[in-house]
Amino acid sequence: MLQADRALKLNREARLNYEQQYLNLIDNILTKGDYVEDRTNTGTYSQFGGSIKLNLADGFPILTTKKINPVLPFGELLWMLAGKTDLKTLRKYQNKGEGSNTIWSADFEKYAVKPWVIKEEGGNIYGKQIREYGSVTDDQSFKHDQLTTLIDNIKAVKEDSNYPMARRLICSWWNPYDHTVGDKVTCALPACHTDFQCLVREGKLSLRFSMRSSDCFLGLPFNFSFYGLLCHVLAKLTGLEVGELLYFGTDVHIYSNHIDQVKEQLSREIKTSPELVLPEFNTLEELLNLTGEDFKLVGYNPHPFIKAPQAS
């Protein structure tokens, strides 16, 4: 009987759409989370572990209980996939004006005090890791392009499910040196989303992403739109349909100065999820010539923005 009850509960949870699962997560953190001091000196309400699973065929994963500008996560995704680490290129992909503020600006300013750092350059952050990941063999060091390898392997698995890479479709943003002792030495900020993995089943591409640290009010909704688009573009580049999107978080938290904003969001009703319309592209090169504004969300009619300070 207990197993049957558990199965029914899991089935009910699986039927919840993305936004309801997200609201349940932040409500649980708010009511049951432990208060924890953190490196930003802001303080958080935190829980160990959180997950959300959704079907991308049910609509694009962007919040409706508060407005999010989709150009920002879309543009940041293109910036990282292009292997770029500078703010000038980020602004181009996000369709921002020259010299405008970005979510990376504060961390870049802290990094730029080092005498070897070029202004508005982030060092060995996401774009560097996915396109030029450092590796060492017995006799040489080399840089590995994780993204092109991933795309090639997805295509190979599509053609042959027994292909050895079928359960190795993984890209890592996390570098064990750069993102520990190398913080503010080789990079502006250690990766918060650490890796992602794809799975090909029955003509569909599913994607799992993991986060060591989830700012659930400001950051996590941004991450869902980022990875939702990533799954769509990888599927298009490899001739697959989109499947499911799965998130795992470790330190899942709400900053203490976001409490009122979270309560405001929880008071709002969920609206219908929008549909993503992709622009024309057939190759990675063509994709990276686009900007965030080239990707459209049809039927996105959210509640207004809720402003909150960014902890950095």
Side-chain angles (χ1 to χ4, degrees):
M1 186 65 181
L2 289 175
Q3 287 183 336
D5 289 344
R6 184 173 182 272
L8 285 171
K9 180 182 177 183
L10 290 172
N11 286 335
R12 285 196 299 269
E13 290 174 348
R15 289 196 297 270
L16 294 176
N17 70 10
Y18 153 62
E19 190 151 11
Q20 188 58 64
Q21 292 182 72
Y22 168 79
L23 294 178
N24 290 348
L25 176 63
I26 60 174
D27 182 58
N28 192 66
I29 296 169
L30 200 62
T31 56
K32 299 179 181 178
D34 298 318
Y35 183 78
V36 180
E37 296 290 345
D38 72 298
R39 67 171 181 85
T40 70
N41 296 315
T42 307
T44 67
Y45 290 89
S46 172
Q47 71 177 38
F48 174 56
S51 65
I52 294 174
K53 185 178 182 180
L54 59 103
N55 190 336
L56 287 169
D58 293 338
F60 190 78
I62 190 168
L63 294 179
T64 64
T65 46
K66 69 171 184 179
K67 186 175 182 179
I68 292 175
N69 180 358
V71 173
L72 301 183
F74 293 175
E76 185 180 73
L77 172 65
L78 297 172
W79 178 62
M80 292 181 185
L81 296 185
K84 302 300 183 182
T85 60
D86 65 291
L87 293 187
K88 181 179 180 180
T89 309
L90 175 60
R91 293 187 187 103
K92 177 184 174 183
Y93 277 121
Q94 292 185 325
N95 304 96
K96 285 176 168 284
E98 183 177 349
S100 58
N101 187 58
T102 77
I103 62 171
W104 283 91
S105 295
D107 289 299
F108 274 44
E109 287 174 6
K110 293 176 183 178
Y111 181 50
V113 301
K114 306 294 184 181
W116 57 84
V117 174
I118 300 171
K119 186 178 181 182
E120 296 204 328
E121 168 59 48
N124 297 343
I125 54 175
Y126 295 93
K128 182 77 169 179
Q129 301 298 342
I130 198 167
R131 301 306 301 270
E132 295 185 4
Y133 195 94
S135 298
V136 178
T137 64
D138 291 339
D139 58 354
Q140 64 177 339
S141 63
F142 65 95
K143 302 296 182 182
H144 174 58
D145 187 338
Q146 297 189 77
L147 181 60
T148 58
T149 298
L150 174 72
I151 293 170
D152 289 343
N153 283 334
I154 291 173
K155 290 178 179 177
V157 175
K158 175 190 170 187
E159 298 302 320
D160 177 9
S161 61
N162 291 324
Y163 187 68
M165 297 295 123
R167 291 182 291 196
R168 306 180 204 174
L169 302 174
I170 302 170
C171 287
S172 178
W173 307 105
W174 180 264
N175 185 295
Y177 175 81
D178 290 330
H179 299 158
T180 54
V181 295
D183 181 24
K184 301 298 182 291
V185 178
T186 64
C187 70
L189 186 71
C192 291
H193 37 119
T194 53
D195 69 289
F196 65 93
Q197 180 175 358
C198 297
L199 199 69
V200 178
R201 293 280 166 84
E202 299 179 344
K204 294 182 179 180
L205 183 73
S206 294
L207 188 149
R208 181 274 307 157
F209 69 99
S210 295
M211 301 195 65
R212 64 172 179 86
S213 175
S214 284
D215 169 0
C216 285
F217 182 73
L218 287 181
L220 186 55
F222 196 98
N223 300 129
F224 264 101
S225 293
F226 178 108
Y227 281 103
L229 181 58
L230 177 58
C231 192
H232 274 276
V233 299
L234 287 174
K236 182 173 175 61
L237 289 171
T238 56
L240 294 163
E241 299 296 320
V242 291
E244 295 178 305
L245 184 65
L246 174 61
Y247 151 77
F248 289 124
T250 302
D251 188 326
V252 182
H253 54 264
I254 294 169
Y255 280 100
S256 61
N257 57 355
H258 294 170
I259 301 301
D260 290 341
Q261 292 90 334
V262 170
K263 290 179 178 178
E264 168 64 21
Q265 185 176 357
L266 288 169
S267 73
R268 296 176 174 183
E269 291 188 4
I270 296 172
K271 298 186 178 184
T272 303
S273 298
E275 298 296 325
L276 175 70
V277 177
L278 295 174
E280 284 300 316
F281 62 91
N282 295 299
T283 66
L284 181 60
E285 182 180 9
E286 290 174 351
L287 170 68
L288 298 178
N289 282 328
L290 302 171
T291 71
E293 286 187 343
D294 291 312
F295 299 82
K296 306 300 181 185
L297 292 179
V298 177
Y300 187 44
N301 182 33
H303 291 272
F305 287 111
I306 303 177
K307 294 184 179 181
Q310 179 184 339
S312 61

